[in-house]
Amino acid sequence: MAQLGSGALVVALALAVYGIVAGVLGARRRIPELVESSIRAVWGVTALILVAVVTLLTAFLTHDFRLEYVFGRSSRDMPIYYVAAAFYGGQEGSLLYWAMIAGVLSSLAVYLHRKRDRALIPYVAATVLSVQTFLLFMLTFIASPFTLLPMRPADGQGLNPLLRDPGMILHPPFLLGGYASFTVPFGFAMAAMITGRLGDDWIRAIRRWSLVAWGILGVGLLFGAWWAYHVLGWGGYWGWDPVENVALLPWLTATAFIHSVIVQERRGMLKVWNMALIVASFALSIFGTFTVRSGLISSVHSFAISPIGPWFLGYLAVVVLVSVGLLIYRLPGLQSDRAIESVVSRESGFLLNNLLFTAMAFATFWGTVFPLVTELIRETKLTVGPPFYRQVNGPLLFAMMLLMGVGPLLAWRRSNTGLLLRNLLWPGVAGIASGIVMAVVLGHILAAASVAVTVFAVGTIVLEYVRGARVRRRTTRESYPLAVAMLVRKNGRRYGGYIVHLAVAIMAIGIIGSTFFQVERQYTLQPGQSGTIGPYTLTYQRLDNRVNAQGQAVVAVVDIAKNGEPRGTVESKRFFYRNYEDQPTAQMGIKTIGIDDVYVVLDQWDENGTASLRFYINPMVSWIWVGGAVYVLGMVTVLWPAPQPARRPVTRPVREAALSEA
């Protein structure tokens, strides 16, 4: 089995190198057979990678511990779903998974675009195969998942405890899938720069692929936040951990690209900017992998450290040098067709939107690499914590929400200021009124202002739907619900985008509530004693010691009452898995009551049953998960194919028909 998997990777590596040469030679010497051969090389490499994937997955499911990777990541006592998830639970498997996703999407892309974008496809194939060549080289010579042990052990060591959680079944595949998905847009961008075809073709070709990558990565970030919330015991869902930050960076640049590409499509502007953003998104995906694997920056993901970090750093340097070199070389062909005519225009709005996203990306990047910079200059590693990110990114998010409300109402080229103000009237009134109410009720000015700007943005979304439905109803006589449904169906890109905006607003409410109004208390309690936090009384009942085949769990059982009324029980757990007794992991006790999450962390305990517990009240966190579901709905709506115009047979000459209608 190991020979089959490693053999498939070796042949795939050779085929990838051949495909690069065939694609470039075929394009430069105009030999269609070589171009076609390069396309088939993309498909062949993907097929061979899938053979390796199936081989490794089979080894996991059959407990083939002769493979060192399987031995180190699984054991017989693990549930089958964790055994399957162990596939990408280590360095080698995650690289193979990345190669698989990049291969499948690349194959699909060259199949769909091989006729329409005939001039670009040879270089698209060469670029995606160059990415595959790097990954396959790593999988073949540096980090092979098919390395054999000298003898077959009876059992494996098991999966890292931090990965034995439902969140980790979902978070890594989406996050890695998002990284890998940027391979296709990067391939088209490089092909456009190599060929000098810098018009609309490459933009049209990558728009949907960029949305796919952006959407998958976004879902991966949400699953990561959910995992951190109920496993890491921070009391929250986002700790500005370096690995979280580097995963956020390509999502931010891709979000900027998704907006600015509209300007290029409509007005022929921001060409250099768009090219830079798509290259940056791919490069930041490589940077994210390098940061996780290198261990240069301390992180909760330290279990993922491996010696391949320098290889990724070298590859990142090559990607940046080649991309920037091509970008500079093609600058004359990337000049905008037009200039911005007015500050009060949709073009200006998109430009400001991009500046805000990139400013947030830069601030996050700087905070992440700051320890490395200080260590290099002062030989002392200084870190920045969550307060830095909140103080810098908080105002940027506020401005972004405000712009999200104004932007959809701006006109292309130049907005009529009076009309714009009239359109902003009702969303503005709703935002100001909600802000005043929140200030009076909550007594927190910053929170009230944040709620006000979020309600303002939601008001604009509602206004856009109402206006669109009215126009459609006048022409079709449809009911309002049907008119709204048809708006979304006919123009999924625009109205699906508004659904994503609504998702952002819902998540923003959750972030505002949990950031400004989180309450924390810490108690050391004996069984039967209680602690209070807000309107809640939490009674520590007992400490259970539960043993199963995987290891041991210490469980604190806590009863919850609100204003004296019982509201249920939560269990906060500490796990000690077999072979990983010195790496305890946890599962927080969380119960959602109304808009509050009652969050219990078991910190320490004594043999007499005394436990040190942290209690949190996290308001509105559930809104973040609801917003995540709406985000997925919006993403699917944006990506859903638009209906094609119906064709009817011509029954009489067009001229006659036109004259009769006149």
Side-chain angles (χ1 to χ4, degrees), residues 113 116-117 181-182 184-186 188-189 200-215 254 257-266 278 491-494 635 638-642:
H113 295 272
R116 184 191 302 177
D117 301 297
S181 302
F182 282 112
V184 175
F186 177 69
F188 276 96
D200 296 335
D201 290 350
W202 78 276
I203 284 289
R204 173 182 45 75
I206 71 165
R207 189 181 64 205
R208 192 170 291 271
W209 296 105
S210 303
L211 284 168
V212 169
W214 168 83
F257 172 79
I258 287 168
H259 288 87
S260 62
V261 73
I262 300 172
V263 181
Q264 183 169 345
E265 289 175 332
R266 292 292 296 267
I278 207 66
N491 195 346
R493 187 181 178 191
R494 177 178 178 180
M635 183 182 67
V638 170
L639 291 172
W640 200 264

Side-chain angles (χ1 to χ4, degrees), residues 550-573:
Q550 296 186 70
Q552 175 189 4
V554 177
V555 184
V557 181
V558 177
D559 287 347
I560 303 172
K562 183 178 183 182
N563 297 323
E565 182 182 347
R567 304 301 293 266
T569 300
V570 294
E571 295 183 344
S572 185
K573 303 173 183 175

Side-chain angles (χ1 to χ4, degrees), residues 60-337:
F60 270 108
L61 296 176
T62 58
H63 300 304
D64 187 356
F65 299 121
R66 182 77 186 277
L67 270 66
E68 183 179 3
Y69 183 72
V70 176
F71 167 74
R73 308 291 184 297
S74 68
S75 59
R76 295 184 185 278
D77 55 24
M78 286 169 48
I80 189 67
Y81 45 88
Y82 284 147
V83 173
F87 173 87
Y88 43 74
Q91 176 57 62
E92 296 86 346
S94 60
L95 278 180
L96 184 56
Y97 178 81
W98 182 328
M100 179 188 72
I101 296 296
V104 170
L105 293 179
S106 300
S107 297
L108 191 59
V110 296
Y111 174 78
L112 294 175
H113 295 272
R114 69 189 191 285
K115 293 180 179 176
R116 184 191 302 177
D117 301 297
R118 193 180 298 273
L120 296 175
I121 280 300
Y123 294 102
V124 173
T127 303
V128 298
L129 285 172
S130 70
V131 176
Q132 294 287 41
T133 299
F134 169 71
L135 295 172
L136 290 166
F137 172 81
M138 299 298 296
L139 286 165
T140 303
F141 298 108
I142 309 300
S144 172
F146 298 105
T147 302
L148 290 173
L149 292 170
M151 58 181 294
R152 183 190 296 271
D155 201 353
Q157 293 181 327
L159 190 62
N160 185 291
L162 276 176
L163 301 178
R164 299 192 198 193
D165 183 85
M168 270 296 166
I169 294 177
L170 300 169
H171 168 52
F174 277 96
L175 195 72
L176 290 169
Y179 284 168
S181 302
F182 282 112
T183 302
V184 175
F186 177 69
F188 276 96
M190 293 297 289
M193 288 195 287
I194 293 170
T195 60
R197 292 178 173 271
L198 303 168
D200 296 335
D201 290 350
W202 78 276
I203 284 289
R204 173 182 45 75
I206 71 165
R207 189 181 64 205
R208 192 170 291 271
W209 296 105
S210 303
L211 284 168
V212 169
W214 168 83
I216 294 174
L217 184 58
V219 173
L221 290 169
L222 284 168
F223 278 129
W226 180 70
W227 169 76
Y229 186 59
H230 74 270
V231 168
L232 294 182
W234 291 337
Y237 41 83
W238 193 271
W240 296 105
D241 180 80
V243 172
E244 287 180 323
N245 294 346
V246 295
L248 180 63
L249 293 176
W251 187 85
L252 289 171
T253 53
T255 308
F257 172 79
I258 287 168
H259 288 87
S260 62
V261 73
I262 300 172
V263 181
Q264 183 169 345
E265 289 175 332
R266 292 292 296 267
R267 303 284 294 157
M269 303 163 67
L270 305 181
K271 294 180 180 178
V272 178
W273 184 250
N274 284 326
M275 188 67 80
L277 284 176
I278 207 66
V279 170
S281 298
F282 178 74
L284 287 170
S285 298
I286 302 294
F287 175 72
T289 307
F290 158 70
T291 302
V292 176
R293 306 301 174 191
S294 66
L296 281 177
I297 304 173
S298 299
S299 163
V300 297
H301 293 71
S302 56
F303 59 85
I305 295 174
S306 77
I308 72 165
W311 290 94
F312 269 86
L313 182 61
Y315 180 65
L316 175 63
V318 172
V319 168
V320 171
L321 284 174
V322 173
S323 303
V324 173
L326 277 171
L327 189 60
I328 293 172
Y329 177 69
R330 292 298 184 187
L331 275 180
L334 289 168
Q335 299 306 306
S336 295
D337 298 339

